[in-house]
Amino acid sequence: MASIRDLLRGGRSKPGDVVQHTVGNALVLHHPDEISGEAQSLALSVVADDENDLVVLDLGSGIPIGSWESMAGVLPRRRRGIRLVACGERNDTAAMAGQWLSERLNRTVIAPDGDLIRGAAGALFVHSKPGSGWVRFRPGKPPAWDSKRYPRPVWDTAATERRASSSTGEIEPLPGGVWIHDVRAPEVVAEHRGRLVADLPCQAETMTVLLGCPGTEPLSLDDVVRFWRDLDPENQLRTRFVQYGEIRMPEGESFGQTLADLLATKVVCYPGVPIGAPGKFEIRTVRADGVLGWPPFALELGYAPRPHPNSLARRPLLLGHRGPLRWTEEIEPRVYWYAPDAVVEVIEAGLWVRPAEEPGNAERVRATPLDPEGITMIFDDTTPKRTARMRELAEDLAARIDRGMGQPSALFPASVLVPGQKPGGHAAANLTLAPEPPSTPPAPASPSFPGVPAEIPTVGVTAIPEPVDLSPVPSVAPAVPVPAYAPTTLAAPVAPHAPTASAAPVVPPAPAEIPTESSIDAPGHAGPARAAGPTAAAGPALPPPPPSAPAPPPETASPAVQPEPVSPEVAPEPVSPAVPLGTASPAVSSPVPAPAVSSPGMLGSAPGVVPAPAAGPSADVAPPPSPGADSRSAGASAPPAPPPALPVEVSVAAVVEAPAEAAAVRSVGPAPESGPSGHRIQPVVTPDASALLPAHGLAEERAWLRRSLSRDFDSMASSVSRIMSEHPGMKAGGDSTADDILVDSVATRLFLTRRGAGIDAGLRSGAIGPHVPLARCAVSGLSRLPSFRGSTVVRTSPGDDEWHLYRGRRLVTDWSFVTMLTAPCAGQDGDTDVLVWSMTARRTALLEPEGEERVEDRVVFLPGTHFKILEAAEPAGDRRGTILLREIGANEIDDDGRVDQKRSSLDELAVTSLRRSLDRWAGADPRRRIGAASAGRFGALPGLVRPPVGKKG
C-alpha cells in the first residue's frame, strides 16, 4: 500500500483505477465497479456550491490510497475551486491531500480537517478538535482556516469551539446553531444531540441558540450571560433563543421576559425548535417530556426589558406567524377572514375566533401564553348573543386543523382567561363561563423591533386555564357557578377527582371533539425494561391499613342510582348520576363546604354491619336532589356514623386475587337494574369506594401501599425505577415528588398484572376495600402515560341479559378501569366486536409486565369515564355482532345533566371512523397481543357488573 509520501510524489496507480460520475450536485470519483451507498447518499443530499465544484471521493475498500494520481487525472483543470469530501474507510485523507491536489491541479481546494458531520438539509459540519473546520488550500500558499459549516452562515465564527460556561454548563456548537446545556448527564445529552444535529436547520442570517436539555438539571442563567457577552452586536441581533430544557427562572416569569430583563436588551425567541430545511422549516414546541410537540402559529416573539424592575411585564410582540389555513385571506396583520361575521386572529397561544370588530378584552387574550402540550383555541364570548355562534365556528376550525395536525385542540371561552393565573397545561378541570373581568391598565410604550409597531401593551401574567372543550386529558366540570376573576389552580394531568357531597352531578372527561385516527405519544415507545412482576401464585400477604378518621353522615355518602333513559326516543338523555362533587376540582372554588375525607378506602375501622341496599329509582325517573344539598340548607344534625368497612383481617393480596364474590356482598348504595343471569348496571360509587383521586391528595394511599407491599414493593420498584430513568417524561409535570411517581408507577404495573382483575371487580361492584387505595395510586400512575386517540376494540360474547341492559340505553358510566386494545388480537374468542372511540385512554406499553401477563397495544380508560352507546347490533347467522361506543366529554353535558343533542355530528364521525377501522382490520391477519395470564381482563362491557363466577342464572 502506498504511503502519504508516495501519494505526494505522484502515487503508484494505473490509468483507469478511478472513474467519475455526476450524482446530484456532486462529482463522485469511485472504483470502476461500483459507487458505495454512503457516497451516493452524500452526493444526493449535499447543497450545491456556487463558487466551487463539489467532489466526493469514494474511498471504499476497493480503491488503494495510491489512486490519488488517477483521481487528479479525471478532474478537469478549471478556475473554479474544489470542495473536497471523502467517505469510506479513510475519509480523513482529504485534508492531508488537499495541498497536493491544489498544487497538482492549480486550483483552490477546500477540504475538511476533522470529523465531517452531516446536518439537516444537506449541511456539512466539521467538528472534532480545537481548530477543526473547513481548510482552504491554495497553490503556493499555506493552508488557511475557512469556516466551520457549509453552507457558511454569516454568524459562523460566533460558534466554532466547544467551551465550558461554568463547572456544570457547556457551550456547544451545532451544525444549525449553538446549544448551552448541563453536562452532568452525558447519555441524555448525547441522545438529544443526535436529534438536534439531524433536524436543526442552519439558517444563513439567524443563529438558533438552544438553552437547557430535557432530562437534565435546570440550566443556570449565568451560563447564558457568559455566552451573550462574547457575541458581537451584529450576532446578538441574529440570535433566536429557544427554551429546550428547564431553566432556573423567577417563579411566574416567562422565558423570553426573563432573558430580556437579565440581558437588559430586546431579545427574540422561537416558541419551539426549528426543524427542516433553512428556507422551509417549521417550529415545533418542546413538551415537558422533551418530545417535540405541535407547530405553533406564532413563529417569533419579541420581548423588551422592563423599564424598571418593579414595572409590569409587557406583552411580547408577535414578530412572525403562519396562517391557520391555506387560501385564507389575511385582511389585517395576523387576522384572517373566516365567516361573514367572524375572523381568526393568530395569537401567541394559538388562534382566536372573534367578530370582525375588536372586543374590549383583546390585549388580555393576546397575552395568553403558549401551551407546549397542545393547540389553544379561544372563542369570543363578550356578547352573549354571539357566544354560541363563535363557539360553533371555533369548533369547526378546530376540526379542520386537528385533522391536519393529528392532535386535539383545547377550546376556551375568552372570559376564563384571568390575568394573574400561574401558567399551566391542558390538565384537569373545565371552567364554566364567567363574566368578563375588567380590562387591565394600558402600558407605557416600549422600544420597537424592526418592522413592527412600537407599542407593547402591558398585561399581567396570563395563564392557559382549564379547557372547556377538546382537552385530551380527563377532566371534571363543575355545575356550581364559578366566581368571576377567581384564579385557577392547575394540576398535573390526573384522573377526575373523587366525588364528595354537593349538588353538582359528575360529568365525564372532556376529550377533543373531532375524532381522528391518530394518537398522542410520549417519548420512547419501546417496550419497558425486563422486570419480574408479581404473580398470582406468590403474592405478598399484606396487612390491613391503619384505622381512619370517621366518615360523614350516611346521607352524604349514598348518592342516588344512575338514571338512564328507557328508549332512544327519550331526548335529551339524562347524564349519569347526581354524584356529589364538592371537592372534586381544585380549579373551582365552591361555596359548599366539603365533607370530611377518610383515609384510603375507609379501611381498618371496626368491623360493621353492611346495610342491605335499598331499591333504586327506575331508569326513567330523574335522580332526587343530593342529600348534601339538603343538609346545606337545613343544617345536618345527624351524628357521624362509621361507614361499612372490611373486616380487619382482609388483606390486599386477598382482594386483588379474587374479590368478585366478596365485593358483590360488600357493595354499598342502591341496587341498580340487573339482568336475569346476574349482570347489572354498575352502582354509583360512594366517595370511599371510588378510585377517583381525592382532593386531599394521595399521601395516605401511597404510604399504605409502600407499607403493605413491603419487600415486594422494593422488588417491583427496582425495575420500575429503571424504566423511569430511561423515560424522563414520566417524571414531568405536577408537584409530585420522584418518590410519589415511583409508588404510582408500581401500583400501575401491579394493576396491569393478573391481579388487576380483582381490582376491576371490586371497583365495578362499588365495594369498600383495600383495592381502593391501590386503584387510586394506579389512576395517578396511568395519568402520566401517553394518551391514545382513535379506535379501540375487544371481542366478546355478551349474554342475553347484557344485550337487554344495553338495549335502549344511551349512556353508561364505568367506575372501574376499562381495558381495550388498539387492534384485534388473534385467538380472542367472541361473536361480537366491541369498539370504543377513545380520546383519553392511556397507553400502557412503558409499564407492561413481562411474560404471560404482558399485553401488547393495551390501552386503559380511567375510572369515571362516560361512554355513549352509538350502535348495538346483535349477531345473527354469519353476521358478527357490533357494539359501537364513544367516549364523551364534560362539554357535551349541559347544566341540567343532560347530553347535548347538538353533538350528533360527532356521533356520526365516530361511527364512520369505527366502521373504517373494522374494514381495515378485516383485511389484515391479527396477531396475538394478549398473554395467556391476562386473557380474562377483556370482554366486560363498559358500565356493567359481571356476576361472580358460578353465580350466573
Side-chain angles (χ1 to χ4, degrees):
M1 180 178 293
S3 65
I4 295 297
R5 181 178 299 175
D6 293 331
L7 179 144
L8 298 179
R9 289 176 178 174
R12 303 172 180 174
S13 61
K14 299 177 182 180
D17 284 350
V18 176
V19 296
Q20 62 166 316
H21 279 95
T22 300
V23 180
N25 295 320
L27 185 68
V28 181
L29 307 184
H30 61 94
H31 190 277
D33 295 338
E34 63 176 351
I35 302 178
S36 69
E38 180 185 1
Q40 292 185 54
S41 174
L42 180 60
L44 288 171
S45 63
V46 69
V47 181
D49 192 334
D50 295 333
E51 299 177 357
N52 305 285
D53 292 337
L54 283 166
V55 177
V56 176
L57 304 182
D58 188 5
L59 301 177
S61 58
I63 296 183
I65 196 171
S67 298
W68 283 96
E69 181 64 34
S70 298
M71 294 181 183
V74 299
L75 289 174
R77 295 180 178 272
R78 303 174 59 181
R79 292 186 177 182
R80 282 169 57 89
I82 294 175
R83 185 172 296 273
L84 191 66
V85 181
C87 59
E89 297 179 358
R90 294 179 292 273
N91 55 11
D92 57 343
T93 59
M96 292 188 293
Q99 187 69 46
W100 179 83
L101 283 174
S102 175
E103 298 287 351
R104 175 71 173 76
L105 300 174
N106 196 31
R107 297 175 64 178
T108 299
V109 177
I110 303 174
D113 181 18
D115 294 341
L116 186 69
I117 300 172
R118 296 170 62 177
L124 299 177
F125 179 65
V126 182
H127 183 71
S128 59
K129 58 186 178 181
S132 59
W134 293 94
V135 178
R136 183 179 295 270
F137 300 94
R138 292 172 292 181
K141 296 182 180 180
W145 189 90
D146 183 74
S147 65
K148 190 75 173 177
R149 300 163 180 85
Y150 168 74
R152 180 180 183 178
V154 294
W155 48 269
D156 184 60
T157 56
T160 59
E161 303 296 340
R162 178 181 295 185
R163 63 188 190 276
S165 56
S166 65
S167 61
T168 59
E170 180 180 71
I171 302 170
E172 178 180 351
L174 295 173
V178 184
W179 187 20
I180 308 176
H181 58 82
D182 192 275
V183 297
R184 286 171 285 184
E187 294 181 357
V188 176
V189 171
E191 178 183 358
H192 286 275
R193 179 185 296 114
R195 299 176 187 173
L196 296 176
V197 166
D199 296 336
L200 187 69
C202 180
Q203 303 178 65
E205 300 289 338
T206 301
M207 178 172 61
T208 304
V209 178
L210 301 106
L211 305 181
C213 177
T216 65
E217 293 297 320
L219 182 70
S220 171
L221 290 171
D222 293 338
D223 297 81
V224 184
V225 175
R226 294 184 182 109
F227 166 76
W228 182 260
R229 287 173 60 88
D230 290 339
L231 293 179
D232 58 74
E234 290 186 0
N235 284 325
Q236 287 180 350
L237 292 176
R238 296 187 179 102
T239 299
R240 299 294 182 267
F241 287 105
V242 175
Q243 183 179 0
Y244 189 60
E246 289 192 54
I247 312 290
R248 294 179 193 167
M249 297 187 299
E251 184 176 1
E253 290 290 343
S254 67
F255 166 67
Q257 190 61 51
T258 298
L259 290 180
D261 293 339
L262 179 69
L263 304 177
T265 185
K266 296 174 291 184
V267 298
V268 181
C269 298
Y270 286 143
V273 178
I275 60 174
K280 188 179 181 182
F281 64 89
E282 67 177 5
I283 305 289
R284 290 279 182 169
T285 62
V286 184
R287 291 166 36 181
D289 55 13
V291 174
L292 298 187
W294 66 287
F297 298 96
L299 302 180
E300 289 188 349
L301 299 171
Y303 296 84
R306 290 177 170 92
H308 187 275
N310 295 328
S311 301
L312 292 176
R314 298 183 177 94
R315 174 176 63 82
L317 281 181
L318 203 159
L319 304 178
H321 76 283
R322 65 183 182 89
L325 298 169
R326 296 182 65 187
W327 318 121
T328 305
E329 178 187 1
E330 186 174 11
I331 57 178
E332 296 178 24
R334 303 180 304 280
V335 179
Y336 294 80
W337 185 94
Y338 194 67
D341 56 344
V343 297
V344 179
E345 181 174 343
V346 176
I347 59 176
E348 177 187 351
L351 299 175
W352 178 25
V353 179
R354 62 171 176 84
E357 61 274 16
E358 188 175 291
N361 63 347
E363 291 305 321
R364 184 166 56 83
V365 174
R366 293 177 182 130
T368 306
L370 178 140
D371 180 7
E373 301 297 330
I375 308 166
T376 300
M377 192 82 64
I378 301 171
F379 64 90
D380 179 68
D381 63 340
T382 55
T383 305
K385 293 182 179 180
R386 295 198 219 174
T387 299
R389 169 65 172 165
M390 294 297 109
R391 178 176 182 133
E392 176 187 2
L393 292 174
E395 291 175 348
D396 177 71
L397 179 61
R400 299 173 67 181
I401 291 175
D402 293 352
R403 240 179 248 121
M405 293 186 181
Q407 174 166 340
S409 303
L411 189 65
F412 303 88
S415 61
V416 303
L417 303 174
V418 182
Q421 290 179 329
K422 185 179 179 180
H426 292 197
N430 294 335
L431 296 180
T432 56
L433 302 185
E436 177 67 19
S439 59
T440 54
S446 67
S448 63
F449 291 84
V452 298
E455 181 180 356
I456 306 179
T458 301
V459 295
V461 178
T462 305
I464 298 178
E466 301 306 318
V468 167
D469 201 334
L470 304 177
S471 170
V473 180
S475 57
V476 176
V480 295
V482 180
Y485 330 129
T488 300
T489 303
L490 297 178
V494 293
H497 295 276
T500 53
S502 89
V506 162
V507 290
E513 293 205 355
I514 304 303
T516 58
E517 200 71 51
S518 60
S519 61
I520 305 174
D521 298 328
H525 277 267
R530 294 185 61 85
T535 63
L542 306 181
S548 61
E555 58 266 22
T556 65
S558 299
V561 72
Q562 175 177 348
E564 289 292 346
V566 295
S567 69
E569 289 75 26
V570 178
E573 317 88 301
V575 78
S576 58
V579 177
L581 193 71
T583 60
S585 174
V588 179
S589 59
S590 171
V592 181
V597 181
S598 65
S599 63
M602 288 294 189
L603 303 175
S605 56
V609 179
V610 180
S618 61
D620 58 344
V621 178
S626 168
D630 296 336
S631 64
R632 289 193 302 273
S633 57
S637 58
L646 284 174
V648 293
E649 67 271 10
V650 177
S651 67
V652 170
V655 172
V656 299
E657 290 298 341
E661 296 163 25
V665 177
R666 293 193 302 269
S667 62
V668 297
E673 178 186 354
S674 61
S677 63
H679 286 89
R680 65 185 190 277
I681 298 296
Q682 289 183 20
V684 177
V685 295
T686 64
D688 303 327
S690 170
L692 306 186
L693 301 188
H696 62 78
L698 292 175
E700 296 180 16
E701 284 85 347
R702 289 165 176 149
W704 174 83
L705 185 63
R706 265 186 175 279
R707 184 172 60 254
S708 300
L709 290 178
S710 186
R711 294 181 180 178
D712 294 270
F713 178 89
D714 296 335
S715 176
M716 296 188 69
S718 175
S719 59
V720 172
S721 297
R722 185 166 61 252
I723 296 172
M724 292 173 59
S725 66
E726 296 170 354
H727 302 278
M730 295 178 65
K731 306 175 185 178
D735 300 326
S736 299
T737 65
D739 186 66
D740 292 342
I741 297 173
L742 176 62
V743 175
D744 296 343
S745 299
V746 169
T748 301
R749 170 161 274 199
L750 180 61
F751 164 75
L752 295 175
T753 67
R754 71 186 74 187
R755 300 184 181 186
I759 299 174
D760 286 335
L763 293 176
R764 291 191 186 107
S765 63
I768 297 174
H771 61 278
V772 174
L774 199 157
R776 290 175 180 175
C777 294
V779 166
S780 181
L782 283 167
S783 298
R784 295 186 180 92
L785 297 181
S787 57
F788 174 78
R789 185 179 182 183
S791 299
T792 65
V793 64
V794 294
R795 289 172 175 169
T796 186
S797 296
D800 292 340
D801 54 344
E802 292 174 279
W803 286 110
H804 168 74
L805 293 173
Y806 260 35
R807 195 177 298 119
R809 189 175 296 273
R810 297 296 303 278
L811 182 70
V812 290
T813 303
D814 204 302
W815 299 103
S816 176
F817 300 90
V818 176
T819 305
M820 303 287 289
L821 298 170
T822 60
C825 172
Q828 191 177 29
D829 297 329
D831 58 10
T832 299
D833 296 315
V834 180
L835 286 85
V836 180
W837 180 263
S838 163
M839 302 304 297
T840 66
R842 300 292 165 171
R843 294 178 179 267
T844 61
L846 291 177
L847 293 176
E848 279 291 338
E850 295 297 328
E852 293 187 347
E853 294 177 315
R854 185 176 183 83
V855 178
E856 296 184 22
D857 301 319
R858 170 162 41 183
V859 294
V860 177
F861 293 89
L862 301 182
T865 302
H866 300 278
F867 301 93
K868 192 172 184 179
I869 302 174
L870 305 177
E871 290 184 10
E874 300 183 35
D878 295 334
R879 179 174 59 84
R880 293 181 57 81
T882 55
I883 297 177
L884 307 183
L885 302 99
R886 176 171 71 87
E887 178 188 356
I888 65 173
N891 55 290
E892 299 188 47
I893 301 174
D894 60 22
D895 295 336
D896 297 327
R898 297 178 180 272
V899 177
D900 188 355
Q901 294 294 325
K902 297 180 180 178
R903 305 303 176 92
S904 59
S905 59
L906 301 181
D907 298 341
E908 295 173 0
L909 287 172
V911 169
T912 300
S913 298
L914 292 172
R915 291 200 174 281
R916 286 177 179 172
S917 297
L918 273 177
D919 294 340
R920 184 175 69 253
W921 293 330
D925 293 331
R927 57 187 177 88
R928 186 169 295 277
R929 292 177 163 83
I930 303 174
S934 296
R937 302 295 301 276
F938 299 85
L941 296 185
L944 301 187
V945 180
R946 283 178 167 176
V949 177
K951 301 293 184 180
K952 293 184 180 181

